[in-house]
Amino acid sequence: AGLYRLSGADRTVKELKEKFLRSKTVPVLSKVDDIHAITGLLKDFLRNLKEPLLTFRLNRTFMEAAEVSDDDNSIALMYQTISDLPQPNRDTLAFLVLHLKRVADSLDTKMDISNLARVFGPTIVGHAVPNPEPMAILQDTKRQPMVVERLLSLPVDYWTQYVMAENVQSNLNHLIIENANCYATPERMSMLGPLTTPEQHLTKTPSSSSLSQRMKSTLTPRFGSKSKSAVGFPHQGKFFSSPLLK
């Protein structure tokens, strides 16, 4: 109960972080007794990125899309804005949203979409600038949960296109991912994953020529297609599947 709302022991969170930073293998999280320490580590990772997961550049666009009163138009704008994210940000967002949907679906957690949106709004939406003014912080705090709620309302099949199982190598123990945020140093590479990529590596979200077509495709998703044009990631953009860095 209270998953992601309750805080774990700071000491355990710090120890887990060190294991991710220093080790060449993924820590065995099933041996961690304090589940809130695991969720705390995830929130810590997202909170300490160089910029929010949804980026500074698209912050206002996401908020405006979430605030559109007409649901169809709001969803269409949300799809378009997601397609503008750098690929690693988009893929990481897909993993996170699918996970949070499971958390919300579990009655035991007592964390519905609204509760999760309040927890993750400041963390993944953040602000449009690194050091916002107090008034901007106040205004953004009211808008951030709306973005997360809208993201969590999008169909599972939409997000699954970015996290198809065949795109993730089964053995992570020999993989090290260069982390382009504050977790990484020249001496230590993190397994928590990169969240920046050149613009030319972006993959656009499938779009339709009209709103009606877009909504139809939402209701009857074809994103699970295994054609080369639809499957997951380009070679350079695989999530947790980069070659071993020397």
Side-chain angles (χ1 to χ4, degrees):
L3 203 62
Y4 289 108
R5 180 177 57 81
L6 299 179
S7 300
D10 290 340
R11 179 178 178 180
T12 308
V13 173
K14 183 177 180 179
E15 290 174 351
L16 280 174
K17 184 191 297 187
E18 286 300 310
K19 288 181 180 179
F20 269 103
L21 292 173
R22 296 180 181 278
S23 177
K24 293 186 178 181
T25 60
V26 177
V28 182
L29 298 181
S30 60
K31 294 184 178 181
V32 180
D33 293 331
D34 184 5
I35 185 63
H36 301 298
I38 297 176
T39 59
L41 175 61
L42 176 58
K43 289 190 294 183
D44 182 273
F45 165 66
L46 294 169
R47 187 165 49 243
N48 285 288
L49 296 174
K50 286 186 176 180
E51 63 176 335
L53 189 60
L54 299 189
T55 73
F56 294 134
R57 178 175 64 90
L58 295 174
N59 177 273
R60 295 296 179 234
T61 310
F62 269 109
M63 289 183 176
E64 291 166 1
E67 290 175 336
V68 173
S69 57
D70 179 81
D71 283 349
D72 288 356
N73 285 326
S74 177
I75 290 172
L77 289 171
M78 193 62 71
Y79 281 141
Q80 180 57 51
T81 310
I82 293 169
S83 77
D84 290 335
L85 283 170
Q87 181 179 328
N89 296 58
R90 181 204 64 196
D91 297 345
T92 302
L93 178 64
F95 272 94
L96 181 62
V97 167
L98 288 171
H99 167 65
L100 294 181
K101 278 177 168 285
R102 293 182 61 194
V103 174
D105 288 342
S106 172
L107 298 179
D108 293 335
T109 67
K110 298 181 180 178
M111 291 293 290
D112 58 18
I113 286 178
S114 178
N115 287 333
L116 290 170
R118 286 196 293 270
V119 171
F120 280 91
T123 304
I124 69 173
V125 182
H127 308 283
V129 294
N131 299 298
E133 297 293 331
M135 185 57 67
I137 294 175
L138 182 61
Q139 293 173 346
D140 289 349
T141 300
K142 299 176 181 178
R143 306 172 75 188
Q144 292 159 342
M146 297 174 63
V147 177
V148 179
E149 284 203 43
R150 182 58 80 186
L151 293 171
L152 291 175
S153 72
L154 300 180
V156 168
D157 286 341
Y158 168 75
W159 295 109
T160 304
Q161 67 176 318
Y162 302 123
V163 294
M164 295 184 68
E166 63 260 35
N167 292 312
V168 182
Q169 295 179 9
S170 59
N171 185 0
L172 298 180
N173 291 339
H174 302 293
L175 303 178
I176 299 177
I177 307 300
E178 181 179 4
N179 189 12
N181 57 60
C182 66
Y183 278 83
T185 66
E187 296 79 19
R188 297 183 296 176
M189 295 302 180
S190 170
M191 299 193 68
L192 293 173
L195 286 177
T196 55
T197 189
E199 290 296 326
Q200 62 266 32
H201 291 165
L202 303 188
T203 299
K204 295 296 184 180
T205 303
S207 59
S208 302
S209 59
S210 68
L211 177 59
S212 61
Q213 288 176 322
R214 187 189 297 271
M215 294 312 300
K216 185 181 297 183
S217 67
T218 301
L219 296 175
T220 57
R222 296 181 179 273
F223 299 112
S225 169
K226 295 189 178 181
S227 66
K228 290 184 179 180
S229 62
V231 172
F233 321 88
H235 175 72
Q236 292 168 317
K238 288 185 179 180
F239 184 76
F240 281 124
S241 54
S242 295
L244 179 67
L245 298 177
K246 301 296 183 183

